[in-house]
């Protein structure tokens, strides 16, 4: 079942990310979708804070992936916007780098077929200053509760 949540500011988006961090476990894969400026990196920044990561989160657009190790769980933050094919993504072995942690992939719809069925897709739509989040579980995520996010 898809869960919908609205945030009204970057601060609320960060707070949602911090709450979301509490449901994450090692090996989790989260795909993020939404147009440029939707708040994907802001949401990941909140998740990182919730995981106890002190380092500032920046978009990995040009380096493809950044790994943050100093939290309760390691975080691999990837941006696959610049990749041309699913094979390029698979060659990078991004999900292998986060077996002991969490993988969050911006523009994740492009690589959904390459990450397996156990994933959560988070769609972010912009409505003026508001952000509408849709948390869409797949595989093992379907049996996990996300109600604490509301």
């Amino acid at each position: 079942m898809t869960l919908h949540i609205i945030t009204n500011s970057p601060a609320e988006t960060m707070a949602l990310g911090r709450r979301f961090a509490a449901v994450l476990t090692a090996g989790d894969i989260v795909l993020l979708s939404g147009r440029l400026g939707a708040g994907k990196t802001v949401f990941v920044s909140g998740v990182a804070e919730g995981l106890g990561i002190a380092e500032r989160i920046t978009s990995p657009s040009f380096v493809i992936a950044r790994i943050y190790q100093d939290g309760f769980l390691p975080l691999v933050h990837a941006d696959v916007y610049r990749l041309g094919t699913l094979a390029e993504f698979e060659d990078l072995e991004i999900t292998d780098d986060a077996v002991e942690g969490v993988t969050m992939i911006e523009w994740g719809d492009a690589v959904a077929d390459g990450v397996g069925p156990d994933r959560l897709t988070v769609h972010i739509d912009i409505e003026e200053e508001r952000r509408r989040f849709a948390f869409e579980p797949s595989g093992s995520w379907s049996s996990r509760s996300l109600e604490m996010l509301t």
Side-chain angles (χ1 to χ4, degrees):
M1 185 169 105
T2 301
L3 174 68
H4 297 275
I5 297 175
I6 293 174
T7 63
N8 294 300
S9 68
E12 286 185 18
T13 297
M14 289 277 293
L16 176 60
R18 285 191 297 273
R19 290 193 309 274
F20 180 64
V23 304
L24 294 170
T25 60
D28 281 346
I29 297 173
V30 180
L31 305 180
L32 303 167
S33 71
R35 69 181 199 205
L36 286 171
K40 297 179 293 292
T41 301
V42 172
F43 180 69
V44 174
S45 295
V47 171
E49 280 187 13
L51 292 175
I53 295 169
E55 191 174 343
R56 183 176 168 266
I57 303 300
T58 58
S59 176
S61 295
F62 295 103
V63 296
I64 309 298
R66 296 185 190 278
I67 301 173
Y68 303 91
Q69 303 263 358
D70 66 332
F72 305 115
L73 288 171
L75 171 66
V76 174
H77 178 205
D79 183 328
V80 298
Y81 182 78
R82 296 178 53 224
L83 298 182
T85 66
L86 184 55
E88 285 179 294
F89 171 75
E90 290 169 346
D91 286 345
L92 294 172
E93 299 178 344
I94 289 172
T95 55
D96 294 342
D97 290 339
V99 163
E100 301 296 322
V102 176
T103 304
M104 298 189 76
I105 304 171
E106 296 191 26
W107 305 99
D109 289 350
V111 297
D113 292 338
V115 298
D118 291 330
R119 63 180 182 261
L120 179 71
T121 303
V122 180
H123 302 281
I124 308 171
D125 291 315
I126 303 172
E127 298 174 352
E128 298 174 17
E129 294 300 313
R130 299 166 63 184
R131 302 298 188 263
R132 179 180 299 275
F133 287 78
F135 293 82
E136 183 181 321
S138 176
S140 64
W141 277 94
S142 298
S143 61
R144 292 168 69 176
S145 176
L146 297 174
E147 293 304 316
M148 55 101 52
L149 298 177
T150 57

